[in-house]
C-alpha cells in the first residue's frame, strides 16, 4: 500500500509538472475527459458568474459580501446546487488556477501555465489580490444594511467614541425611530428626524460653492497629471524588481537542475520565498496602475452634484447616502447630543472649507488660489 501510494503521488506530481490539473475542478471549470487533451474546460453555466465576481470586486466599490450576494442573486451555485459559502468565495478570489498557474505546495509543484485556458485575465486577477491585501485603496462603504437608519454606525458618540445604533420604539400613538449610544455613557438618545436633519445642515455647511469647485477642478487636473508621471516611474521600478526576481529564480533552477550545487530542501525553501516575492511584485505592479478616467468629465459631474449634496442625501438610496457620507467624512463624525463636533476628518478637497467665510490670506495660504466670491 505504501509503494502504491508513493507511485500514485509520483504520477500525480508528474502530471502536475506537465500542466495537468489532477484534482476536482474549481468553480467555473469542469474536469475534462482524457481524450480532450486538456485537464480543465470552462463551465458554461458558472464561468460567467466567476468572471463577473472578479470584475465587480476589482472595481473596489463593493465588499466581498456584496459581490457574493450579487452573483448568488444572479444564479451562482455549487455543483450540488447549494449557495456558495463565504469561505469558498474567499478561496475562489485567491485561486491562481484561474490565470493558468498550477501551485500545489504539498507536491512541490508550481507551473506557470497549465494545459487549460485561463478563466480570468492576469491583470484583473492581480488587481483583486492587491485589494484583498489592502495594497490599494477602495471606495466600498462599510455595510450598514438598515435603510431606516443611514447614519447608524457612522455617527459616533463624542463622549465615549462608540458608534450610534438605531431602533424603533413603540409609543402610545405609534412607533418612533431613535438613534442612541449603547456605550457606558448613554449620553445620546435623539429622534431619527432630528439627527438626520442636523446632518443635512452639516452637509449644507460643507457644500462647496460653484467658484470653489472651479478652483478644485483646476487643482485636481494638475494633481492627475502629476500622478500619471509618478505612476510611470513606480511601474518602471516594479518591472525592474520583477525582472530581478525572475533572474534569481532562473539561477536557482540552474543551481539545482544542472549544476546540482544545492539539495532539494534548500531549493524548495528558496523557490517558495522567491515565488512569494514575485506574486507580491505582480500585485504591486497592478496596484500602481491608474485606471483610464475621464477626469474632466468626472470633475464636471462633481461640479454639478457636490454643491447640492444636502438635497441629494435626502433623496438618495441607502447605498448612495453612505457613499456621500463617506466622501465628506471618511472616518465618520462625532455628535455630542446637541450638535455635530466640527473636528471630524473630512475628505482632502473639503479641508479647505471653513465654517465661516475665510479671509483672502487664509484661502491663498491653504490652496494657492485667490478666493472667488459667488
Amino acid at each position: 500500500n505504501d509503494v502504491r501510494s508513493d507511485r500514485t503521488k509520483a504520477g500525480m506530481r508528474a502530471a502536475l509538472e506537465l500542466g495537468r490539473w489532477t484534482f476536482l475542478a474549481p468553480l467555473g471549470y469542469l474536469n475534462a475527459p482524457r481524450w480532450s487533451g486538456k485537464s480543465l474546460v470552462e463551465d458554461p453555466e458558472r464561468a460567467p458568474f466567476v468572471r463577473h465576481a472578479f470584475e465587480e470586486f476589482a472595481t473596489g466599490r463593493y465588499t466581498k459580501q456584496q459581490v457574493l450576494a450579487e452573483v448568488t442573486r444572479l444564479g451562482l451555485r455549487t455543483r450540488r446546487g447549494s449557495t456558495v459559502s463565504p469561505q469558498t468565495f474567499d478561496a475562489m478570489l485567491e485561486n491562481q488556477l484561474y490565470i493558468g498557474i498550477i501551485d500545489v505546495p504539498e507536491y512541490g509543484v508550481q507551473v506557470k501555465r497549465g494545459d487549460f485556458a485561463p478563466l480570468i485575465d492576469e491583470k484583473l486577477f492581480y488587481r483583486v489580490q492587491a485589494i484583498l491585501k489592502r495594497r490599494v485603496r477602495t471606495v466600498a462603504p462599510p455595510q450598514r444594511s438598515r435603510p431606516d437608519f443611514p447614519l447608524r454606525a457612522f455617527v459616533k458618540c463624542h463622549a465615549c467614541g462608540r458608534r450610534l445604533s438605531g431602533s424603533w420604539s413603540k409609543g402610545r400613538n405609534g412607533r418612533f425611530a431613535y438613534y442612541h449610544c449603547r456605550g457606558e455613557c448613554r449620553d445620546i438618545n435623539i429622534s431619527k428626524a432630528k439627527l438626520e436633519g442636523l446632518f443635512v445642515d452639516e452637509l449644507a455647511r460643507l457644500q462647496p460653492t460653484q467658484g470653489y469647485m472651479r478652483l478644485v477642478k483646476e487643482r485636481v487636473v494638475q494633481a492627475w497629471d502629476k500622478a500619471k508621471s509618478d505612476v510611470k516611474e513606480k511601474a518602471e521600478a516594479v518591472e525592474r524588481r520583477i525582472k530581478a526576481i525572475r533572474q534569481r529564480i532562473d539561477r536557482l533552477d540552474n543551481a539545482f537542475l544542472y549544476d546540482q550545487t544545492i539539495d532539494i530542501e534548500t531549493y524548495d525553501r528558496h523557490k517558495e520565498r522567491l515565488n512569494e516575492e514575485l506574486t507580491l511584485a505582480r500585485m504591486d505592479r497592478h496596484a500602481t496602475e491608474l485606471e483610464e478616467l475621464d477626469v474632466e468629465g468626472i470633475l464636471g459631474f462633481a461640479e454639478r452634484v457636490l454643491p447640492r449634496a444636502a438635497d441629494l442625501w435626502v433623496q438618495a438610496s441607502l447605498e448612495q447616502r453612505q457613499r456621500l457620507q463617506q466622501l465628506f467624512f471618511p472616518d465618520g463624525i462625532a455628535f455630542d447630543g446637541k450638535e455635530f463636533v466640527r473636528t471630524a476628518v473630512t475628505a482632502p478637497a473639503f479641508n479647505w472649507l471653513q465654517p465661516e467665510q475665510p479671509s483672502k490670506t487664509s484661502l491663498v495660504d491653504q490652496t494657492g488660489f485667490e478666493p472667488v466670491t459667488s
Side-chain angles (χ1 to χ4, degrees):
N1 285 337
D2 290 343
V3 170
R4 183 183 303 168
S5 175
D6 290 341
R7 287 177 178 173
T8 300
K9 289 181 179 178
M12 293 180 69
R13 183 183 296 109
L16 289 168
E17 289 173 345
L18 291 174
R20 293 190 60 81
W21 184 249
T22 58
F23 307 101
L24 182 66
L27 278 176
Y29 280 115
L30 296 172
N31 292 102
R34 290 182 177 274
W35 51 260
S36 68
K38 296 182 179 181
S39 54
L40 296 174
V41 293
E42 184 175 313
D43 182 346
E45 181 181 348
R46 297 174 182 84
F49 298 133
V50 173
R51 286 199 192 95
H52 184 68
F54 273 88
E55 289 166 356
E56 289 294 285
F57 188 71
T59 65
R61 296 195 298 266
Y62 307 103
T63 63
K64 284 190 291 186
Q65 294 86 350
Q66 289 173 323
V67 175
L68 176 57
E70 169 69 7
V71 292
T72 300
R73 182 187 65 80
L74 292 174
L76 178 63
R77 297 291 186 276
T78 66
R79 294 182 185 86
R80 295 183 177 182
S82 304
T83 56
V84 177
S85 69
Q87 294 78 13
T88 300
F89 189 70
D90 289 348
M92 185 188 87
L93 292 178
E94 298 179 14
N95 193 343
Q96 295 184 83
L97 206 64
Y98 290 119
I99 55 173
I101 294 178
I102 293 178
D103 186 10
V104 188
E106 56 267 35
Y107 282 83
V109 175
Q110 186 180 62
V111 180
K112 293 181 180 179
R113 186 61 62 200
D115 66 356
F116 47 90
L119 197 65
I120 304 298
D121 176 71
E122 187 174 297
K123 178 179 178 181
L124 176 64
F125 179 82
Y126 284 113
R127 166 75 180 176
V128 166
Q129 305 318 300
I131 293 175
L132 290 173
K133 300 293 184 182
R134 301 185 184 278
R135 299 175 82 88
V136 294
R137 291 190 63 185
T138 63
V139 295
Q143 281 195 299
R144 306 181 193 97
S145 58
R146 295 191 63 178
D148 294 342
F149 299 98
L151 298 178
R152 176 178 175 268
F154 175 77
V155 175
K156 295 176 286 189
C157 173
H158 182 56
C160 67
R162 190 182 181 98
R163 296 184 181 272
L164 300 190
S165 185
S167 62
W168 288 88
S169 298
K170 189 174 182 180
R172 189 174 293 176
N173 298 318
R175 298 172 72 239
F176 303 94
Y178 285 88
Y179 288 96
H180 42 81
C181 175
R182 288 184 173 174
E184 293 181 2
C185 70
R186 305 276 177 173
D187 270 10
I188 297 174
N189 187 42
I190 184 171
S191 72
K192 165 183 162 71
K194 185 172 182 180
L195 183 67
E196 292 179 7
L198 289 171
F199 183 73
V200 170
D201 293 341
E202 194 69 14
L203 283 181
R205 183 187 71 84
L206 277 180
Q207 284 179 174
T209 64
Q210 293 291 346
Y212 178 81
M213 284 304 301
R214 287 194 294 272
L215 301 182
V216 171
K217 183 176 180 180
E218 183 176 339
R219 178 60 64 85
V220 169
V221 170
Q222 292 174 355
W224 176 252
D225 291 338
K226 184 178 185 304
K228 288 192 291 186
S229 176
D230 292 344
V231 162
K232 184 179 179 181
E233 293 179 7
K234 290 180 182 178
E236 290 172 351
V238 171
E239 286 296 341
R240 289 194 295 270
R241 197 167 111 221
I242 290 174
K243 183 178 179 180
I245 295 172
R246 284 174 173 161
Q247 289 173 344
R248 290 162 63 191
I249 290 175
D250 290 341
R251 288 198 297 270
L252 183 68
D253 289 342
N254 288 332
F256 176 68
L257 296 173
Y258 303 110
D259 300 338
Q260 297 183 349
T261 55
I262 57 175
D263 57 30
I264 183 65
E265 291 183 1
T266 304
Y267 173 77
D268 287 343
R269 186 172 66 254
H270 286 282
K271 187 67 175 285
E272 183 178 358
R273 180 172 55 81
L274 288 172
N275 283 332
E276 289 177 357
E277 289 183 21
L278 184 60
T279 298
L280 289 173
R282 285 170 172 164
M283 288 162 54
D284 286 341
R285 177 176 61 188
H286 294 294
T288 60
E289 293 178 351
L290 284 177
E291 294 183 36
E292 291 297 323
L293 298 176
D294 177 13
V295 175
E296 291 279 355
I298 292 171
L299 288 171
F301 176 77
E303 198 172 4
R304 294 190 301 272
V305 169
L306 292 183
R308 300 176 48 240
D311 292 338
L312 289 173
W313 189 88
V314 173
Q315 302 168 18
S317 66
L318 173 66
E319 184 178 353
Q320 291 167 338
R321 285 182 173 187
Q322 290 177 352
R323 292 191 187 283
L324 275 172
Q325 291 162 199
Q326 191 179 36
L327 169 64
F328 278 81
F329 305 101
D331 297 332
I333 186 171
F335 185 72
D336 64 7
K338 296 181 179 179
E339 61 182 4
F340 287 99
V341 180
R342 294 184 176 178
T343 57
V345 176
T346 55
F350 301 110
N351 290 344
W352 302 330
L353 293 170
Q354 302 295 327
E356 294 81 28
Q357 181 66 27
S359 67
K360 177 175 180 178
T361 303
S362 65
L363 189 59
V364 172
D365 289 344
Q366 295 182 66
T367 69
F369 293 113
E370 295 287 337
V372 173
T373 303
S374 298

